[in-house]
Amino acid sequence: MLDYVRALGADWVYLSPLLTADEGSDHGYDVVDHERVDPARGGNAGLDVFAARARLLGLGVLVDIVPNHMGIAHATSNSWWWDVLKRGSTSSFADAFDIDWEFGLGRVRLPVLGDGPAELDALRIVGNELHYFDHRFPIAPATAGDGVDARTVHDRQHYELINWRRADRDSNYRRFFAVNTLAGLRVEVPWVFQKSHEEILRWVRSGLVDGLRVDHPDGLADPAGYLDMLAGATGGAYIVVEKILEGGERLPAAWPVAGTTGYDALADVDRVLVDAAGQQSLDALDAALRDRAEPPSWEALRHTTKRAVADGILQSEVLRLARDVRRAGFLTAEPELLGDALAELLTCFPVYRSYLPLGAEHVRDAAETAKRYRPELAAIIDALEPMLTDPANPVAVRFQQTSGMVMAKGVEDCGFYRYTRLGSLTEVGADPAEFSIQTNEYHRRNSLRQAGSPLSMTTLSTHDTKRGEDVRARISVLAEIPEEWAIALSRLRELAPLGDGPLESLLWQAILGAWPATRERLHAYAEKVSREAGNSTSWDQPNGQFESRVHALVDSAFDNPDVEMVISSLVQRVQDAGWSNSLSAKLLQLAAPGVPDVYQGSEFWERSLVDPDNRRPVDFTAAATTLRRLDGGELPPIDASGDAKLLVTSRVLRLRRDRPELFTRYLGVPAFGAAARHVVAFDRGGAVAVATRLPLGLASEGGWRDTSILLSRQHRVDVITGRGFAAGELKVAQLFERYPIALLAPSDQS
């Protein structure tokens, strides 16, 4: 695999978390043991071999790390958690986890019990353990052996098993979002940082690993302090953070990191390829699907979904915050009103979190917005504001940790499945209210990235994206044909009625974008997103009748000839333009400022949907075979194989790796002529990228009539096709004779 990565043109390889994860984990984010590389991932010896081979090939190694939480699904696998359950607050590991012992009356509440009236009767004493079906828990010393039954022994433990439905209100340990099997770590405690990073730091210091990707820093009590410790301990290694930036938000300048993992760049690339002219028609369609005169406001919808999360799956976090406020001496409000006010402040918070003293203005903005929504809570909100803007106040720390949870679950994992006018716009790190951007705005944002964070990552697909990059590229074409899409969707709704117009639109867009896809993949996707949307069914209260219709909708794409005809016609209509968007997006991402991340397999068409669909294995042997064929001189057609995308990816990556001096600045290159609006081009300091936008419109506007760009005095070669071009005026029709993109380098550098 590493030989292929090197041949592709990459100069680093990017690994998911390596520490020992829960048994059967397919992602590694549920770490249970910080002391060794996961045996299932090759163990320490495997990392040694991998790193040695990477060094031989000249590849750097970037590894994802998880400082915010640990996996606790199987208590026996996590020695820290096991000891806490066994010894309670006296455990030497008690400070590692964020547990409200007072609220639990000295016990950790574990939401594992089923819905039966006497679930605790299923407990069994097995040696020194309590067993509840497949769950195993420790028995504290001197709490058994006197002949009492398992329920009595349970009542003597430092943990309490509770019904799983109580988790969202009564949990007393901080979770990763609402995942009961991931317990928050207090990495701000010096010994916790040291113990949880000892192996990671060994990798860096011994030269096995060159850089780190920090997962979810917003969950930490003190992200800046943590990153300072990490930078100091690694000697200033390359570090990027998985951070979602809202709108014009910027990373704190003092953070010792190279930048983010690239979702901000993803949003820009997607939007420069969307036709702004389609917004009005798609808004009207969205309104009609909701039986409204006007489409919903994204701001209002976001408020609704965030508040539902604060009152629902994250209520335990809000109530924990309210308890902390009262413990800090804030006793002027009834507990319910205090929780209500805090939930409203979290709902109205405009970004994921503040980093006090930075971002105090976001607390003030949230307070003003919250008072507009809930004027009856104004006095409580005003009294809370000084507490929530004080960096030294523990309440402010917890508020900062909680606001990101509410944003992520309310927006990414709910709102994005309700705001469905154009599915390519509802992606991680993006603002769905921003429909499209013009080339001048795209150039402005890239110029800022070049000036402020040239080593920040850029991406188009990750293990967290809701839709793969090429699904989005195809869906974006619908903005060019909104009336045709409305007609097709109306017919599909007649043939496979669901009764939830926005969700029907989302599902059919996804099916169109991912087609061809297997029945099994689409069933899994449809069930997940319908429950995430939460309008007609949900995770905790599935609506069987509605979900039967959801699955019937998916089946109709395979079994109903009339549905198949509509889908086939739509695919045929948008396929070529979607491929054009895909190649353009890939060129823009790879050639633009930043460090491009090519997610596993996305050098071919990436038609995956939300996880776990986007975590399927990649056949690197087959990919290497195709790459060798292309290196033999083949210029593949743009077809279902995706070979053309591999060609583009490899040629751009190789030029960046081998001629970095051609990518040292950023300047937008204007196009002239009748189809100038269909061109997006920039000069990186010698390498000039030229891509097609709004490809369907080209046909209706007569193609590239007299459209050109101006090159400097040097002759150029398109590194993708090998064709040479003279300096001066270059006709775009000539440039795009083979592919709808080009990357031009000085001919003596080709």
Side-chain angles (χ1 to χ4, degrees), residues 271-571:
R271 277 154 181 73
V272 79
L273 301 177
V274 171
D275 189 355
Q279 180 173 355
Q280 185 174 357
S281 295
L282 289 175
D283 280 347
L285 173 60
D286 190 42
L289 292 172
R290 301 170 191 270
D291 297 320
R292 299 169 49 143
E294 299 290 335
S297 154
W298 168 244
E299 180 182 355
L301 189 151
R302 185 175 75 165
H303 182 274
T304 297
T305 55
K306 289 182 69 177
R307 183 66 207 227
V309 161
D311 292 338
I313 60 174
L314 292 178
Q315 188 180 31
S316 63
E317 311 299 334
V318 177
L319 294 177
R320 170 81 181 272
L321 182 59
R323 292 194 297 272
D324 285 355
V325 171
R326 292 184 67 80
R327 289 166 185 162
F330 188 102
L331 303 174
T332 59
E334 293 296 322
E336 287 190 6
L337 288 177
L338 178 59
D340 192 3
L342 288 165
E344 192 63 33
L345 283 164
L346 291 164
T347 297
C348 296
F349 207 74
V351 295
Y352 274 71
R353 68 165 285 168
S354 55
Y355 307 94
L356 296 176
L358 300 176
E361 70 275 9
H362 298 313
V363 179
R364 292 189 283 270
D365 289 345
E368 292 304 311
T369 304
K371 287 186 288 186
R372 288 198 299 272
Y373 275 98
R374 300 292 303 280
E376 73 276 17
L377 297 175
I380 301 176
I381 291 170
D382 285 340
L384 284 170
E385 186 177 321
M387 183 179 290
L388 299 179
T389 53
D390 178 3
N393 195 313
V395 170
V397 172
R398 187 167 301 282
F399 185 88
Q400 291 174 92
Q401 290 178 282
T402 308
S403 63
M405 298 187 198
V406 175
M407 179 73 88
K409 297 305 294 182
V411 174
E412 292 176 30
D413 293 342
C414 184
F416 278 6
Y417 295 120
R418 293 188 186 183
Y419 195 73
T420 63
R421 63 175 176 178
L422 191 64
S424 56
L425 303 181
T426 49
E427 191 49 84
V428 179
D431 177 3
E434 183 177 59
F435 190 84
S436 176
I437 60 174
Q438 298 301 310
T439 53
N440 58 346
E441 175 62 14
Y442 178 72
H443 293 321
R444 186 189 73 83
R445 296 182 186 184
N446 270 342
S447 296
L448 289 175
R449 188 170 290 111
Q450 174 67 25
S453 53
L455 295 180
S456 185
M457 286 176 62
T458 67
T459 192
L460 291 180
S461 297
T462 74
H463 67 282
D464 276 335
T465 41
K466 306 300 183 186
R467 301 162 190 82
E469 60 201 61
D470 300 315
V471 176
R472 302 197 309 274
R474 186 182 286 180
I475 290 173
S476 289
V477 180
L478 298 178
E480 297 194 65
I481 52 167
E483 289 78 13
E484 294 179 48
W485 164 238
I487 293 170
L489 180 59
S490 177
R491 179 60 175 153
L492 290 168
R493 296 184 70 205
E494 291 174 3
L495 294 169
L498 185 58
D500 183 334
L503 184 62
E504 287 171 284
S505 179
L506 178 146
L507 290 174
W508 286 118
Q509 287 181 61
I511 291 171
L512 171 66
W515 200 262
T518 66
R519 191 187 301 255
E520 292 73 23
R521 289 176 57 211
L522 294 180
H523 275 301
Y525 174 78
E527 180 175 280
K528 178 169 183 173
V529 302
S530 61
R531 292 181 179 180
E532 295 280 29
N535 277 326
S536 302
T537 187
S538 65
W539 288 108
D540 58 344
Q541 292 183 327
N543 182 329
Q545 290 185 340
F546 179 80
E547 291 190 6
S548 292
R549 295 198 299 274
V550 168
H551 291 297
L553 180 152
V554 171
D555 284 331
S556 72
F558 298 90
D559 302 333
N560 186 323
D562 293 331
V563 172
E564 289 184 83
M565 183 177 298
V566 177
I567 291 295
S568 297
S569 297
L570 270 176
V571 170

Side-chain angles (χ1 to χ4, degrees), residues 16-19 21-22 25-29 37-43 46-47:
S16 59
L18 293 179
L19 292 171
D22 198 24
S25 174
D26 64 352
H27 47 73
Y29 291 92
V37 177
D38 197 332
R41 290 164 172 78
L47 178 59

Side-chain angles (χ1 to χ4, degrees), residues 200-211:
I200 294 167
L201 296 178
R202 182 186 72 82
W203 302 340
V204 177
R205 291 166 179 168
S206 63
L208 295 171
V209 167
D210 303 284

Side-chain angles (χ1 to χ4, degrees), residues 691-715:
T692 301
R693 58 189 302 266
L694 316 184
L696 273 186
L698 280 169
S700 61
E701 296 174 22
W704 295 115
R705 293 174 298 151
D706 301 322
T707 302
S708 61
I709 61 173
L710 293 177
L711 296 180
S712 62
R713 290 173 291 180
Q714 276 185 307
H715 283 39

Side-chain angles (χ1 to χ4, degrees), residues 23 67 148 180 637 729:
E23 185 177 355
V148 298
N180 298 332
E729 182 178 357

